[in-house]
Amino acid sequence: MAPQMAAEAIRAYAEETNGLNRERCASASGEGHRSELAKIQRTLKQMLSVIEGGGHTRGMTDRMRELEAREDVLKETLAEVPADIPDIHPNVSGVYRKKV
């Protein structure tokens, strides 16, 4: 196998792998879910403060159940977000050649 062909094959592999990694991370980053989860947690905390202060209403119980159910769904979704995979260095063939 010619060194130039190996370098080209490795370069193409690195480009494709890095592109797929960026697409995967962009679609599954979960930033929107994290933001929504933080908002729900703040709302629940505020509602608990109101309840502790004696300001409970019947509608709050139903709303808290809805928020807690959504919180559970978001936590499950975020637990499934894949870990970030580092990109392959574009000059990996040169690094390999120097080391070997």
Side-chain angles (χ1 to χ4, degrees), residues 36-73:
E36 183 181 358
L37 180 60
K39 182 179 178 183
I40 287 173
Q41 289 173 335
R42 282 191 307 273
T43 302
L44 286 170
K45 186 176 180 180
Q46 290 169 349
M47 291 176 84
L48 285 173
S49 294
V50 169
I51 291 170
E52 289 172 343
H56 180 269
T57 65
R58 285 182 293 170
M60 288 179 78
T61 304
D62 294 335
R63 181 65 180 141
M64 285 184 76
R65 284 189 183 121
E66 291 172 8
L67 289 170
E68 288 170 341
R70 180 64 183 155
E71 179 184 34
D72 293 341
V73 169

Side-chain angles (χ1 to χ4, degrees), residues 1-18:
M1 187 168 170
Q4 297 84 0
M5 292 182 77
E8 179 59 26
I10 292 172
R11 185 199 58 76
Y13 174 77
E15 282 181 9
E16 180 68 17
T17 302
N18 294 346

